[in-house]
Amino acid sequence: SHRSHQLMGVSVHAGGVKTDLVNTLSASEKALVYVANWLKGVTLMEEDQGCLSQLWVAAGARRSQLVNGAYYRPVGVMSNSDLDEVAKSEEFASKLWTFTDDALAKAL
C-alpha cells in the first residue's frame, strides 16, 4: 500500500513475568517454565518489570528508534529474526486484516 504512515504498529513481547500465571503452576509446570526460559537465556522478571517493554514502545522510545511492523523483546530489542514464516507472511497478514475488518463490520 502507498498510504501515508501516520500510525505505527509494532508487536511487543512482555517477557516472562512472575505473575500468578506462573506462580500458581504446579512444581513441575513451574520448573518447565523456568528451564525453558533459562535455555533461551532469559530470566523471569518481577511483576513491576513486566510493563517495561510496553512502556518503552509507547513512551520511552523516540519514534525514529522504532521500525513499523517490527517485533520487540524486553526491553527494546528488535527481534524480527526470531519470527517464524507465518509471522513474516504478507499473505497471512492480509488474510488476518480482512478477517478482522469483516468481524468488526459485523459487530457494528
Side-chain angles (χ1 to χ4, degrees), residues 12 15 42 50 59 77 93 95 106:
V12 182
V42 176
V77 179
K95 287 179 181 179
K106 289 175 186 172

Side-chain angles (χ1 to χ4, degrees), residues 28-89:
S28 59
E29 291 169 326
K30 194 182 294 187
L32 180 62
V33 169
Y34 277 86
V35 169
N37 279 285
W38 178 78
L39 289 172
K40 293 188 284 186
V42 176
T43 56
L44 271 68
M45 295 181 279
E46 298 299 327
E47 273 190 72
D48 62 349
Q49 298 171 314
C51 63
L52 295 178
S53 288
Q54 296 90 319
L55 287 173
W56 179 80
V57 167
R62 291 189 177 99
R63 185 179 174 93
S64 61
Q65 290 178 279
L66 299 172
V67 174
N68 195 30
Y71 166 63
Y72 292 92
R73 291 186 293 109
V75 170
V77 179
M78 189 166 72
S79 302
N80 289 352
S81 61
D82 293 349
L83 299 174
D84 65 17
E85 294 307 310
V86 174
K88 295 177 189 177
S89 169

